[in-house]
Amino acid sequence: MEALNQNALKELALSALVHRMDEILLESVRERYGQIHHAFPVSLVSDIVDSKTVFAHSDEKRRRIAYLTFAYLVQLDLHAVTGGFSNRILFTSEYDDKTSWQSPLFRLRDGAIRQYQIVSSRIGMEIFMDLLHCLETGERLRSKRSKLKS
């Protein structure tokens, strides 16, 4: 996929932009799992942008919704990747369910991964709330400190 500068990105038609976003999400799945399994559906930006609710908005608002949807789906992927971290770092062939948890290093690694998951979940929730608000109103939430407050 050809890299675009900011101006080219702004000039890109919404359908082409959404297609690029979908391709990035699909490529991420292919790189992690080798192929896309139909038993595990992949959420795409087009699933939201092509809906009747979004179609009712102006082009500018639809573009805003596309970017928010992409941000949310990337955040979900960032969170999902931590499962792979756990498997690669913690639950290796040396893992023993009776003794591994006694190791301070094992506990620190587990704590770091869990802490990331908590922070990642919070970020995902805030983006999701912003997306829901934007789907309803066409506008983003205004609070810079907390989406919960808004």
Side-chain angles (χ1 to χ4, degrees):
M1 185 179 309
E2 180 186 335
L4 298 177
N5 63 31
Q6 283 289 38
N7 290 333
L9 192 60
K10 287 179 184 178
E11 296 299 319
L12 202 60
L14 179 61
S15 60
L17 175 66
V18 168
H19 177 73
R20 288 176 71 92
M21 291 173 171
D22 285 352
E23 282 304 311
I24 291 168
L25 295 168
L26 291 168
E27 185 61 24
S28 170
V29 171
R30 287 185 204 104
E31 286 182 8
R32 284 182 285 154
Y33 304 112
Q35 64 180 338
I36 296 172
H37 297 278
H38 297 293
F40 301 102
V42 178
S43 297
L44 300 172
V45 176
S46 58
D47 295 335
I48 300 298
V49 173
D50 293 343
S51 69
K52 290 179 185 178
T53 301
V54 175
F55 191 72
H57 290 288
S58 69
D59 286 345
E60 178 187 335
K61 291 178 181 178
R62 291 172 66 207
R63 195 173 196 87
R64 187 176 305 142
I65 290 168
Y67 277 111
L68 270 172
T69 302
F70 184 65
Y72 175 66
L73 294 175
V74 167
Q75 188 61 41
L76 288 182
D77 277 352
L78 287 169
H79 186 274
V81 165
T82 59
F85 291 172
S86 292
N87 290 337
R88 178 144 334 229
I89 296 170
L90 299 175
F91 304 109
T92 63
S93 58
E94 292 84 36
Y95 173 77
D96 181 306
D97 61 340
K98 292 183 175 71
T99 60
S100 292
W101 291 96
Q102 296 171 2
S103 163
L105 179 59
F106 186 91
R107 293 278 182 136
L108 284 171
R109 288 176 175 166
D110 178 62
I113 291 169
R114 288 179 188 268
Q115 187 176 58
Y116 174 81
Q117 289 173 324
I118 291 166
V119 172
S120 175
S121 295
R122 171 65 187 256
I123 294 168
M125 181 190 68
E126 290 201 6
I127 296 170
F128 185 66
M129 290 176 5
D130 200 5
L131 174 59
L132 288 177
H133 186 267
C134 195
L135 285 168
E136 182 69 27
T137 66
E139 301 298 326
R140 301 214 33 201
L141 290 170
R142 295 289 177 212
S143 176
K144 290 183 181 186
R145 291 190 179 191
S146 172
K147 302 296 182 201
L148 287 173
K149 188 177 247 184
S150 292

